[in-house]
Amino acid sequence: MPNLTKYVTPGRRLCFSEGVTAGPGVYERGEYLYASVVGVVQELAPTTEGEPRVVTVTREKVHSAVPDVGSIITGKVIRMTTKEAVVSIMVVGNMPCKDDFQGIIRSQDVRATEKDKVKIYNSFRLGDIVRAEVISLGDARSYYLSTAKNELGVIYAQSVAGAVMIPISWQEMQCTKTKTMEPRKCAKPDIPLPEK
Amino acid sequence: MVDRRRIQGPEVSVAPIIIKSADKRTCLKDEHSRRRDGRNLEDICPIFLKTGLISQANGSAFIEIRRTKIACGVYGPRQTKIPSFSGKGNLNVEIKFAPFSCQKRRQPYRDAQEKDLSQLVIEALVPSIRLDLLPKSTIDIYITVLENDGTASCLAAAITCASVAVADAGIEMLDLVPASSASYIGGEIYMDSDLAEEQHETGYLILSYMPSLKEVTHILQSGDVDLALTTQAFEQCTDACSKIYSVMINSLLLPIRDTQ
């Protein structure tokens, strides 16, 4: 439970750093903790017994999300080759990006087993909405993404006929209009996003 | 051997003659050493500072000091366009003088002075922003000078304004960076000098300072000045920065208070 509430600006000295840890929006310098964003100071009780309290500053205005290693992203497949699918990252966690970031799902990162048999064309199609995990900051241009988990993969796709498809198994989707099957690496549905 | 490809400087050098016009300088202040607008020499001008004027930017600020008017927009963090990997964020600043901002018309394209000033703003702001938290990203800051009332005070205002806009964008930073300027005129320090005073100055000092951390992020001085005078100007600028700091804090907290 928060036990003190006040608004601060960057550079505001909050408290001594001894016995508390810096949470999001707070940094430690010397023997003090300082705020690093505009927002509300909150002092949170530790999640487990015996650990120090956490001081956080919650932003008043959310800035555009930036992908980081380990974060779950949602994006759209915009380009495909035989080796990789290029994804335009639109949402990081639950936060939308103001400008899209570019990510790549390489064929070896599509699924966890039988990696050598993966065909990008049988896993994704252009325009699919994909949920994936950032595994590396990647090269100069793109983040490296992976869908090698049950809950990761295609979450929304349209068939050749243009109708919405529903997942049948983890690697097949069926068109609601023509009942044709199309191969996809589907995400296991109905699992809420893991809390970060 | 003589290096023919480069222009050789003369072997003896002479100190430049600084022309002082005594008669013009006297009219800058009256017998009570008040300046033309009624300020004392060490006073800074009142500041109007407001955040969130540019709706499509992530963060924005507008500053008005005397006749200086500057608008600033912050975009990002967004994916960097530079084709090389960097684990740290990148800061990009562009200052633009509006064609009507100065006494003489400015060209609409970017000139050398604008590039220079942009670089100075980058140098002043980079130590305050936590770029290590934003790998592969760029923060773009666009500063538009709508009216220029003295270049030194204009640059100081631009730094102040940009820092508030970055904080308004919700980007993590160590501290706000207020900046203030001082002109050396006839062995005296004129704080926050205007255009007419600037034409008589023999040098200037621009200081960017993080008051909470008590750290200087950038200092720029030009002209032939005594050490004692510089020290005094430095102290006056630090004080001025602390005053500007409270204005910056108020401008950031005011929109929050208004909504409640």
Side-chain angles (χ1 to χ4, degrees):
Chain A
M1 282 294 288
N3 51 11
L4 71 140
T5 307
K6 60 176 181 182
Y7 288 101
V8 292
T9 52
R12 174 66 178 269
R13 191 180 289 172
L14 299 173
C15 57
F16 280 107
S17 61
E18 222 176 281
V20 277
T21 44
V26 179
Y27 68 95
E28 191 180 334
R29 196 180 179 94
E31 51 186 5
Y32 297 102
L33 292 185
Y34 296 88
S36 66
V37 289
V38 183
V40 187
V41 189
Q42 281 181 321
E43 200 173 314
L44 306 169
T47 42
T48 50
E49 204 65 30
E51 279 186 25
R53 290 163 303 145
V54 183
V55 177
T56 63
V57 176
T58 316
R59 280 195 189 89
E60 190 54 35
K61 197 171 168 182
V62 240
H63 83 122
S64 179
V66 176
D68 202 359
V69 174
S71 50
I72 304 292
I73 63 95
T74 310
K76 190 180 193 176
V77 179
I78 52 166
R79 239 184 355 261
M80 281 170 63
T81 66
T82 50
K83 289 197 183 102
E84 62 200 23
V86 181
V87 175
S88 175
I89 300 171
M90 299 185 291
V91 179
V92 177
N94 295 321
M95 283 215 287
C97 303
K98 211 161 191 181
D99 300 276
D100 287 2
F101 289 86
Q102 190 176 301
I104 284 179
I105 308 174
R106 298 173 297 176
S107 64
Q108 65 263 41
D109 298 325
V110 170
R111 61 187 190 206
T113 54
E114 294 187 299
K115 289 180 179 180
D116 48 339
K117 287 185 183 152
V118 173
K119 286 200 170 62
I120 286 289
Y121 188 67
N122 287 338
S123 310
F124 307 107
R125 296 286 164 88
L126 284 178
D128 286 3
I129 305 295
V130 177
R131 183 180 292 158
E133 185 184 353
V134 180
I135 51 169
S136 139
L137 293 178
D139 57 14
R141 214 168 295 136
S142 319
Y143 291 87
Y144 285 167
L145 309 174
S146 166
T147 54
K149 274 182 186 170
N150 283 345
E151 66 271 22
L152 303 176
V154 177
I155 53 174
Y156 175 86
Q158 284 186 326
S159 68
V160 178
V164 179
M165 297 210 292
I166 48 167
I168 299 298
S169 70
W170 72 276
Q171 48 187 0
E172 267 182 327
M173 279 181 132
Q174 190 177 33
C175 174
T176 50
K177 198 171 156 193
T178 59
K179 309 295 179 204
T180 47
M181 302 287 218
E182 282 187 28
R184 290 287 196 285
K185 162 63 175 94
C186 300
K188 191 178 177 185
D190 295 326
I191 289 189
L193 275 179
E195 286 295 316
K196 213 195 154 187
Chain B
M1 210 175 84
V2 184
D3 186 0
R4 286 169 190 277
R5 270 175 286 184
R6 283 162 196 84
I7 301 162
Q8 298 292 308
E11 282 179 8
V12 264
S13 62
V14 200
I17 305 156
I18 297 162
I19 302 160
K20 293 169 183 168
S21 52
D23 53 327
K24 275 185 181 173
R25 204 182 310 125
T26 46
C27 66
L28 289 178
K29 57 170 188 173
D30 63 12
E31 63 275 18
H32 308 294
S33 68
R34 285 186 178 273
R35 285 145 86 173
R36 289 166 301 124
D37 52 3
R39 284 186 291 154
N40 287 326
L41 295 188
E42 70 277 7
D43 288 347
I44 56 167
C45 292
I47 298 170
F48 175 79
L49 187 55
K50 196 171 165 64
T51 57
L53 271 100
I54 305 167
S55 55
Q56 69 265 44
N58 291 75
S60 60
F62 174 75
I63 194 168
E64 210 172 310
I65 303 179
R66 218 170 34 241
R67 277 167 53 212
T68 302
K69 295 178 190 69
I70 298 170
C72 173
V74 174
Y75 297 82
R78 54 190 178 190
Q79 187 158 25
T80 182
K81 306 239 169 12
I82 300 165
S84 68
F85 181 84
S86 87
K88 249 178 92 177
N90 179 45
L91 185 69
N92 176 36
V93 176
E94 274 180 32
I95 290 190
K96 185 76 207 117
F97 282 94
F100 48 82
S101 62
C102 303
Q103 285 185 320
K104 207 176 156 193
R105 190 188 123 90
R106 302 292 294 234
Q107 290 299 322
Y109 50 79
R110 222 168 158 217
D111 64 16
Q113 194 202 7
E114 287 170 345
K115 279 180 192 162
D116 261 11
L117 294 179
S118 305
Q119 196 55 41
L120 295 176
V121 176
I122 291 177
E123 284 165 14
L125 290 183
V126 159
S128 76
I129 300 174
R130 299 179 71 189
L131 290 170
D132 50 316
L133 299 176
L134 304 165
K136 290 176 59 137
S137 310
T138 301
I139 301 168
D140 289 307
I141 303 178
Y142 298 102
I143 301 168
T144 310
V145 181
L146 297 169
E147 198 170 349
N148 176 14
D149 196 9
T151 312
S153 70
C154 182
L155 177 61
I159 293 167
T160 308
C161 184
S163 183
V164 169
V166 170
D168 183 48
I171 292 163
E172 301 214 18
M173 53 203 299
L174 296 179
D175 199 357
L176 299 168
V177 186
S180 62
S181 66
S183 288
Y184 303 113
I185 304 170
E188 284 178 308
I189 301 162
Y190 284 60
M191 289 301 293
D192 216 354
S193 58
D194 65 12
L195 204 56
E197 287 164 349
E198 199 170 86
Q199 281 161 357
H200 298 280
E201 72 182 12
T202 53
Y204 62 83
L205 176 78
I206 301 170
L207 180 78
S208 314
Y209 176 71
M210 299 194 279
S212 180
L213 303 179
K214 294 190 171 59
E215 280 178 33
V216 172
T217 63
H218 190 254
I219 185 162
L220 181 71
Q221 178 170 268
S222 87
D224 180 17
V225 199
D226 279 359
L227 181 63
L229 203 61
T230 302
T231 319
Q232 200 197 333
F234 187 86
E235 276 170 15
Q236 286 188 9
C237 281
T238 335
D239 288 349
C241 283
S242 304
K243 284 176 193 160
I244 298 168
Y245 190 57
S246 61
V247 178
M248 295 165 86
I249 289 175
N250 274 330
S251 74
L252 284 167
L253 294 182
L254 196 67
I256 302 172
R257 287 202 194 109
D258 282 352
T259 53
Q260 283 171 352

